[in-house]
Amino acid sequence: MATINEVALMAGVTPATVSNVLRKRGRVGALTRQRVQDAIDALGYRPHLAARALAEGRAPTLALMVSSIANPFYPEFALAVEREARESGHFVIICNTNEDPAMGRAYLEQIAGTLSEGVLVTNANLDFADLADTEARGTPVVLCMWERPEDGPGLPCVAVDFALAGRLAASHLIALGHRRIGAIVGSKASGIHRPRYEGFVAALHEAGLEVNAGDVLHAPDTLQGGYAAARAMLGANPHLTAIFATNDLPALGAIHAAADLGFNVPNDVSITGITDIQLARESRPALTTVAVPTAEAAQLAVALLRELIAADPRPADATPTICKTSAPQLIVRGSSAPPRLS
Amino acid sequence: MATINEVALMAGVTPATVSNVLRKRGRVGALTRQRVQDAIDALGYRPHLAARALAEGRAPTLALMVSSIANPFYPEFALAVEREARESGHFVIICNTNEDPAMGRAYLEQIAGTLSEGVLVTNANLDFADLADTEARGTPVVLCMWERPEDGPGLPCVAVDFALAGRLAASHLIALGHRRIGAIVGSKASGIHRPRYEGFVAALHEAGLEVNAGDVLHAPDTLQGGYAAARAMLGANPHLTAIFATNDLPALGAIHAAADLGFNVPNDVSITGITDIQLARESRPALTTVAVPTAEAAQLAVALLRELIAADPRPADATPTICKTSAPQLIVRGSSAPPRLS
DNA sequence: ATGAAAGCGCTAACAG
DNA sequence: CTGTTAGCGCTTTCAT
């Protein structure tokens, strides 16, 4: 790897001039610039990013904390994050915590502020204290897609109106004529998917419908989780005509369960999800769901992170920014229909 | 962010001693070590990774080049890569090329050797010349899951026996009694999935079966691609009793197409894929496929990369290592069955 | 318009 | 066992 010194030597200038050429700082003669450029090309010189980071007192990367990139939701999110991060020349380091707070802490301690200039956190099961520490140590942290900002660690956050998402899905089912609607609620950690469920409940109440406790099941936020829950639910309550799930994956699992039990989806039972992951439109029947602005959230989160980085040193005691995405939107597909007349 | 100097100052020692404590180099008195440790704790000191990288002449990250992390295959792969990379203290930077060679080049030029110590390449549609340049500039590059090492850029490679994979899937269908088998072959770039298809053809020939040119369709390596291809294929050749796809995603698409055309899978038509992505076992009917050792390949690739990094300066004119994974394995699920008697 | 010099935070000899 | 000294490659005033 050629260094800036070698380039300078070859071009007969000092490293400072080479640096100026590189940063396009203008204050360089056309002829000199050409000589430098030639040397760069001849040597195949590329600036050493770690060195540059050190000299500039910044870091060229952002850390993206997720529980597992293999969870189908995150790849789409990560892609959008990377795209936006590139705008400011940042690279994205992907940090899988595997749901283990200790692993999350290890990541934060190692790279926050030393290799990554900022940290983006989605549902990675991290200790709030670790996040607060990171922030206190001077590295901006932004939460994204957090269910309830008000219950969080009090950090800057990009919020999605998940309550509205729940409400939209429920209203759709109600409008179709469903009166007995089961709910599969993500159970991971405490409170996850609470707002979605609350939106669901609110919509039912407004329509004068009861939420039967027996029709609400908590389940892991996975296909299998939804499958098991739906199986149990449909087995116990054959009068249900619809199932509301707080996430797409369990909803998809519920569709499988219904099929296995001999129910036709959507004619015997309607099923809805929330998020609109790729798979939602690609499975059969395609899933009626409430699309959450994933890419927009990612973009806003990175932009916010960037602002915080630029605002260094951050104004003390400022209340953390909460930034809202545009509203979630109902997407009607093949998994919902009016209930059978019976 | 506290620096090593501040720690040293507080502990009444020099930075060198602090460094020794950090690296557990032993040559430090118990009492001094304690004082240093206390200072570290008091200050919340964390070593600056960029600085360390610069001083050590190495980089703390590995670059993972993929075309798009949103392609369902990569997340599983990336997860395994990260897991293995952590073993040597490396972080993983995810580089989505979006199928654009120019974008791939930009990534390589920027981070190879300056922020990343090594580059892991899967199917990211990169110019071979760019890879060769990267390698020539001194940054180890390892190819992984490459279809045909012999046709590649002549770089170290972790190879999967994809021909065998094709053969296994085909043999399975033949053993079930299928005689007229269609093929959906990934068409992205030239030659992708060639070995898989060749394995398929070989198995058919050995069984004395013809490959009817009309029964072979090229399709994009996606669900929709497989859907369209299968629809066309089943529409034109109703005598087909099975479809062999060179990848899981198109196979899954084919299942949907068959269903939409009123065919029962597997009773009217059997369908097989290759890879065994998560979705293969989670969709209905679950996909009969040939599992490729994804995690193992990732692990081997990172290990190989590590070796090459350690072997710096690499022995010139050494022929690039080719490292083989264990064999792919047939996984029979619900999408394949004997053909109807008729 | 270009050069000289200092320093970012850390590590790695080598001395003592 | 601990301190001294020199960088790693780059940027950035401040001179000239």
Side-chain angles (χ1 to χ4, degrees):
Chain A
M1 299 282 301
T3 73
I4 200 172
N5 275 299
E6 305 179 51
V7 174
L9 212 61
M10 184 172 206
V13 297
T14 56
T17 303
V18 178
S19 181
N20 279 333
V21 170
L22 252 25
R23 313 321 280 297
K24 307 209 202 303
R25 280 256 192 53
R27 328 89 158 311
V28 182
L31 198 125
T32 314
R33 148 167 293 112
Q34 189 54 55
R35 282 215 319 280
V36 168
Q37 194 55 58
D38 289 348
I40 289 177
D41 294 345
L43 263 30
Y45 166 76
R46 301 287 177 267
H48 195 291
L49 261 35
R52 181 176 275 182
L54 186 55
E56 286 182 328
R58 48 194 304 293
T61 78
L62 262 29
L64 174 60
M65 314 284 304
V66 300
S67 60
S68 166
I69 190 74
N71 175 323
F73 167 72
Y74 293 109
E76 302 179 48
F77 186 76
L79 193 61
V81 165
E82 188 217 28
R83 209 158 270 170
E84 183 68 20
R86 296 304 298 132
E87 295 290 315
S88 43
H90 286 105
F91 299 91
V92 175
I93 294 185
I94 155 101
C95 308
N96 290 110
T97 67
N98 199 28
E99 300 286 355
D100 178 3
M103 186 160 270
R105 183 178 316 122
Y107 261 116
L108 289 173
E109 290 198 339
Q110 287 192 74
I111 66 179
T114 79
L115 186 61
S116 292
E117 239 180 349
V119 178
L120 202 53
V121 180
T122 59
N123 180 11
N125 196 20
L126 294 162
D127 272 343
F128 287 179
D130 293 330
L131 291 173
D133 283 358
T134 303
E135 229 250 350
R137 225 184 264 111
T139 308
V141 175
V142 167
L143 271 28
C144 192
M145 316 282 294
W146 211 258
E147 298 285 329
R148 344 187 73 191
E150 64 281 15
D151 288 359
L155 291 169
C157 179
V158 172
V160 172
D161 191 344
F162 284 114
L164 175 58
R167 186 181 283 268
L168 287 173
S171 301
H172 167 65
L173 292 173
I174 294 167
L176 284 174
H178 294 279
R179 291 295 170 267
R180 197 67 190 266
I181 305 171
I184 299 178
V185 183
S187 66
K188 204 161 52 181
S190 63
I192 280 255
H193 295 177
R194 269 291 289 288
R196 308 183 189 198
Y197 176 63
E198 288 165 0
F200 163 80
V201 171
L204 258 64
H205 283 165
E206 282 166 22
L209 298 175
E210 286 295 308
V211 178
N212 188 327
D215 294 349
V216 178
L217 247 47
H218 287 259
D221 205 3
T222 61
L223 248 145
Q224 289 83 352
Y227 181 88
R231 217 171 155 118
M233 193 177 277
L234 290 170
N237 309 334
H239 45 273
L240 287 182
T241 62
I243 295 180
F244 159 93
T246 54
N247 220 357
D248 282 354
L249 236 31
L252 260 8
I255 291 183
H256 293 164
D260 282 2
L261 290 172
F263 290 98
N264 176 287
V265 177
N267 294 322
D268 297 323
V269 53
S270 289
I271 295 175
T272 65
I274 290 177
T275 307
D276 194 27
I277 59 176
Q278 220 178 310
L279 198 51
R281 42 183 170 286
E282 290 178 343
S283 56
R284 290 309 154 94
L287 184 68
T288 291
T289 187
V290 177
V292 153
T294 306
E296 185 196 350
Q299 198 176 330
L300 288 173
V302 175
L304 178 52
L305 199 45
R306 213 151 43 196
E307 265 176 47
L308 295 171
I309 290 169
D312 181 42
R314 87 217 104 116
D317 68 80
T319 129
T321 317
I322 305 277
C323 163
K324 287 190 193 310
T325 66
S326 55
Q329 295 209 293
L330 176 70
I331 309 222
V332 179
R333 298 209 182 89
S335 70
S336 61
R340 279 252 152 85
L341 296 178
S342 92
Chain B
M1 299 283 300
T3 73
I4 200 172
N5 275 298
E6 305 178 50
V7 174
L9 212 60
M10 183 172 209
V13 298
T14 53
T17 302
V18 177
S19 180
N20 279 332
V21 170
L22 253 25
R23 315 320 279 303
K24 308 207 200 302
R25 280 255 192 53
R27 329 88 158 316
V28 183
L31 198 125
T32 315
R33 147 167 293 113
Q34 190 53 55
R35 282 214 319 281
V36 169
Q37 194 55 57
D38 289 348
I40 289 177
D41 294 344
L43 263 30
Y45 166 76
R46 300 288 177 264
H48 194 292
L49 260 36
R52 181 177 273 182
L54 187 56
E56 286 183 325
R58 48 195 307 291
T61 78
L62 262 27
L64 174 61
M65 313 286 303
V66 300
S67 60
S68 166
I69 190 74
N71 176 322
F73 167 72
Y74 293 110
E76 302 178 48
F77 186 76
L79 193 60
V81 165
E82 189 218 28
R83 209 157 270 170
E84 183 68 19
R86 296 305 299 130
E87 295 290 314
S88 43
H90 287 103
F91 299 91
V92 176
I93 293 185
I94 157 101
C95 308
N96 289 110
T97 67
N98 199 28
E99 301 284 355
D100 178 2
M103 187 159 269
R105 184 178 317 121
Y107 261 115
L108 288 173
E109 290 196 340
Q110 287 191 75
I111 65 178
T114 78
L115 187 60
S116 291
E117 239 180 350
V119 177
L120 203 52
V121 180
T122 59
N123 181 12
N125 196 21
L126 294 162
D127 272 344
F128 287 179
D130 293 329
L131 291 172
D133 282 359
T134 303
E135 230 250 350
R137 223 184 267 111
T139 308
V141 175
V142 166
L143 271 28
C144 193
M145 315 281 296
W146 211 258
E147 297 284 330
R148 340 188 76 190
E150 63 281 14
D151 288 358
L155 291 170
C157 179
V158 173
V160 173
D161 191 343
F162 284 114
L164 175 58
R167 186 182 281 269
L168 288 173
S171 302
H172 167 65
L173 292 173
I174 295 167
L176 284 173
H178 294 279
R179 291 293 169 268
R180 196 68 190 267
I181 305 172
I184 298 178
V185 183
S187 65
K188 202 161 54 181
S190 64
I192 281 254
H193 295 176
R194 270 291 288 289
R196 309 182 189 198
Y197 176 62
E198 288 165 1
F200 163 79
V201 170
L204 259 64
H205 283 167
E206 282 167 21
L209 298 175
E210 285 296 307
V211 178
N212 189 326
D215 295 349
V216 177
L217 248 46
H218 287 260
D221 206 2
T222 61
L223 247 145
Q224 289 85 350
Y227 181 88
R231 222 177 149 112
M233 193 178 277
L234 291 171
N237 310 333
H239 45 274
L240 287 182
T241 62
I243 295 179
F244 160 93
T246 54
N247 220 358
D248 282 354
L249 235 31
L252 260 8
I255 291 182
H256 294 164
D260 281 2
L261 290 171
F263 290 99
N264 176 286
V265 177
N267 295 321
D268 298 324
V269 51
S270 289
I271 295 175
T272 65
I274 290 178
T275 308
D276 194 28
I277 59 176
Q278 219 179 310
L279 198 51
R281 42 184 170 284
E282 290 179 342
S283 56
R284 291 306 154 94
L287 184 67
T288 292
T289 188
V290 177
V292 153
T294 306
E296 184 196 351
Q299 198 176 330
L300 288 172
V302 175
L304 178 52
L305 198 46
R306 214 151 43 196
E307 265 176 47
L308 294 170
I309 290 168
D312 180 43
R314 86 218 104 114
D317 68 81
T319 129
T321 317
I322 306 276
C323 163
K324 288 191 194 310
T325 66
S326 55
Q329 295 208 295
L330 177 71
I331 310 224
V332 179
R333 297 208 182 89
S335 71
S336 61
R340 280 254 151 84
L341 295 179
S342 91

